Amino acid sequence: MHFSDLGLMAELQRAVAEQGYDTPTPIQQQAIPAVMTGQDLMATAQTGTGKTAGFTLPILHRLASGGNDRLTRVARTPRVLVLTPTRELAIQVEESVRTYGKHLPVTSVAVFGGVGINPQIAALRRGVDILVATPGRLLDHVQQRTVDLSGIEIFVLDEADRMLDMGFIRDIRKIIGLLPKQRQNLLFSATFSPEIRELAAGLLHQPVSVDVAPRNTAAETVTQKVIECNREQKKDLLKHLFDTRGLHQVLVFARTKHGADALARTLDKAGIKSAAIHGDKSQGARTRALSEFKDGKLVALVATDIAARGIDIDALPYVINYELPNVPEDYVHRIGRTGRAGMEGEAISLVCHDERPQLKDIEKLIKRTVERVVVEGFEPSATAAPRPPQPPRGQRKAQSGHGQPQPRTQTAKSGKNSGRPQQHHSGSRHR
Ligand code: AMP
């Protein structure tokens, strides 16, 4: 199938061609026709499947077809609302709208917290067709009466599962209550839990269901490996992988904000240019880190799960799980950051003895056993080192979990070996 088979207007086909895409991804093949005809949509698709273009293109098509009278009015209230869980995702969705809508007279704005509200107010006042927002900041605008949602014709809930994880359900319900009853609804979620099912039941009317990335199918193009090691070796092993494999543009996952910071500092000190990205970083710091990473100025970006959601980087070659996530679905999200849109990618997980239960859960979810390898010089000891004392549950988040090296139990020290394992702005307008 070719993009020209989908019946999108010429301006959109041109923008797609300029991006260098000729074949729609599976989600695009299924979602674009359904959205174009005005139907509600329930899509189970994770980041990396091309889902953003899957809703952006048909939405732009609907806005721009059927008479452009509204598009030529000077000040206008938003006709499309896209809710996203994170600022990064809001920025990226809005960028996609601009990319695909560049030959159409459509305006868009992204509003999210952590930055000044006034430029957003000014942008909304100038009039906007497509509003991309995070829930909290959108409700701030509602309260200040700086946004009018009464003209929304299409409502998109992006990464709905993550929204629920982040506790946005009440905000979402509040926002839905402010929208006109008559509208088209699109819901995207990487997983289809009972909570999502319930949300979908109340939101969608006779939706078309699209399921391109079942939650138990880790991206086919990603080579997955587990490197077994001792907990206290992880930092050295990671440095060793960078040194011996010439890694670049690596997204490294840590479980905690503190752990991400500490790891980025360690790598940086070892001459591996790194930065951490997590929820406590200012918007400016996050945007800077992301753009330096994209430009190749940083070799590694150390991220927590929530911060990494929505990071859109083409052809990311490596993802390293410095620690396994507690929630198995997060593993699928993490490795989905590589091997995108048909590119090959490699996901390496450093797994110590304590993490075996998590690995077991992950393998149950993805329905496959991940290949185990051992790196010479970093062999795990036969009997695991005792787990360091854990703080009470409530305090765990503040701990790095790997901040201090534990007593060494590793004896092998060959050292010399092959190492081969056996955003931006708050509002923008465009023409
Ligand atoms: P998304 O799932 O929306 O985050 O998109 C994942 C990546 O795939 C983005 O970097 C897009 O630019 C890219 N992409 C989207 N559609 C296509 C396509 N039809 N062919 C190739 N790449 C695409």
Side-chain angles (χ1 to χ4, degrees), residues 3 16 19-25 28 46-54 96 100 312-315 337 340-341:
F3 265 106
V16 167
Q19 286 301 107
Y21 308 150
D22 10 87
T23 314
T25 64
Q28 292 163 357
Q46 63 189 83
T47 302
T49 52
K51 71 179 165 72
T52 316
S96 288
Y100 300 120
D312 178 24
I313 299 159
D314 285 332
R337 315 320 316 265
R340 292 181 149 203

